Amino acid sequence: MSDTTARPRTALVTGASSGIGAATVRALAAAGFRTVAAARRAERCEALAAEVGGRAVQLDVTDPASVAALAEAVPEVDVVVHSAGGAFGTDRVEDGDPEGWQRMYDVNVVGVLRVHQALLPAVRRGGNGHVVVLGSIAGFEVYPGGGGYTAVKHAVNALCRTLRLELLGEPVRVTEIAPGMVETEFSVVRLGSEEAAAKVYEGLTPLTAEDVADIVAFAVTRPPHVDVDKVVVRPVAQADAAHVHRARG
C-alpha cells in the first residue's frame, strides 16, 4: 500500500484527540506517513504523537489565529484529513437552537474552509496532495430531529464536490468518507451522557473508529492517478439513517 514518492509523505489530521481522528493518525503512521495530530485537546494529541512517533499541534478550527499558527507550524504537508466536527442536540426544526446550529456549521463547514485555505499552498507544493473530509450519511439523508446536523453535513458534501471541480487538473485528490453509525465520543457529545449514547448502539454492532480509519488509509495510499472520490460505509445492521435492525435481547 505504500507510495513510490521519494520522501515520506506528511499527513495532518484534525480532530485527532479522539475517535476517528485518533484512529486515523495511528493508521497513517502504520502506513508509513509522517503524522501531525491536531486538535484542541493538546495533551491527548501529544500522547498520541509520542505513541506513533509523530508530531502534535494544538488546533481550534473555529479560531482563525489558531489555524494560521497551524499553517506556520506545519509548512510541509501532503495529506490533510478533516476529521474535526460534531453534532449538538436532536431538536426538531421548530425547536432548533440557532446558536447550536451556528456552532455546528462553524466546526463542520467553516472549520474545513479555514484549514483548507491555510494548508492548500503546502499541499500543492508537494505534487501529490490529498484532501480527505469526514462527512456522514447525514450529508445525503435526513431524519426527524436531525435538521441541524443534516443541513451541516449536506453543506460538507457540497463543499467536497465543489473542491473536486475546482482542483481538477491539479495533482490534488479529494475524498469524502461518509460513515453511518460509528461508536465514538460523537453520541456522548451530542446527547450529553454516556448512558444516552449507549442506547444508540443497543442491539447492533456499530462501526468502530478503526473501521473508518482503515478506509482513509486505503484512499490515501492509492497510486497518484487514482482518486477514491466518495465512500459510504455503514454497519450491516443499518440500511439508512432511519432504518436500523436491532437484535432482541
Side-chain angles (χ1 to χ4, degrees):
M1 283 181 36
S2 60
D3 245 75
T4 57
T5 313
R7 61 173 175 79
R9 296 167 75 205
T10 298
L12 181 142
V13 182
T14 71
S17 60
S18 65
I20 294 171
T24 297
V25 170
R26 293 187 178 98
L28 296 184
F33 285 85
R34 296 184 297 191
T35 59
V36 181
R40 288 181 297 109
R41 293 177 288 189
E43 69 287 348
R44 288 196 180 190
C45 288
E46 288 165 2
L48 178 60
E51 173 191 331
V52 302
R55 292 182 57 196
V57 178
Q58 187 168 31
L59 171 67
D60 180 350
V61 300
T62 69
D63 180 358
S66 179
V67 174
L70 170 74
E72 186 174 349
V74 188
E76 184 179 282
V77 61
D78 303 282
V79 175
V80 180
V81 181
H82 297 271
S83 182
F88 312 117
T90 57
D91 296 336
R92 291 167 59 89
V93 174
E94 63 191 273
D95 302 315
D97 173 16
E99 290 186 3
W101 284 43
Q102 182 66 56
R103 189 155 58 110
M104 282 191 285
Y105 196 86
D106 202 22
V107 172
N108 290 277
V109 184
V110 183
V112 172
L113 173 67
R114 290 189 181 101
V115 173
H116 178 74
Q117 289 177 336
L119 297 183
L120 182 59
V123 171
R124 280 175 164 150
R125 283 195 300 271
N128 182 15
H130 207 141
V131 176
V132 180
V133 182
L134 269 297
S136 169
I137 61 171
F140 55 91
E141 297 178 355
V142 296
Y143 54 92
Y149 185 62
T150 57
V152 162
K153 287 301 186 181
H154 273 65
V156 170
N157 171 257
L159 187 156
C160 291
R161 290 160 55 201
T162 303
L163 282 179
R164 185 75 174 84
L165 294 172
E166 292 180 347
L167 295 173
L168 185 63
E170 297 191 44
V172 180
R173 293 175 280 174
V174 178
T175 297
E176 179 187 7
I177 298 175
M181 298 174 73
V182 186
E183 189 169 10
T184 64
E185 292 181 359
F186 175 90
S187 290
V188 177
V189 173
R190 185 176 196 179
L191 302 176
S193 74
E194 292 187 5
E195 181 180 3
K199 292 181 179 179
V200 173
Y201 310 111
E202 279 183 352
L204 61 89
T205 302
L207 300 175
T208 67
E210 289 73 22
D211 293 330
V212 181
D214 283 347
I215 295 170
V216 177
F218 175 84
V220 302
T221 52
R222 297 310 85 208
H225 71 287
V226 177
D227 183 26
V228 180
D229 199 302
K230 180 174 181 175
V231 178
V232 178
V233 55
R234 317 175 200 251
V236 172
Q238 182 179 31
D240 60 29
H243 295 86
V244 175
H245 174 75
R246 299 183 189 275
R248 296 181 180 179

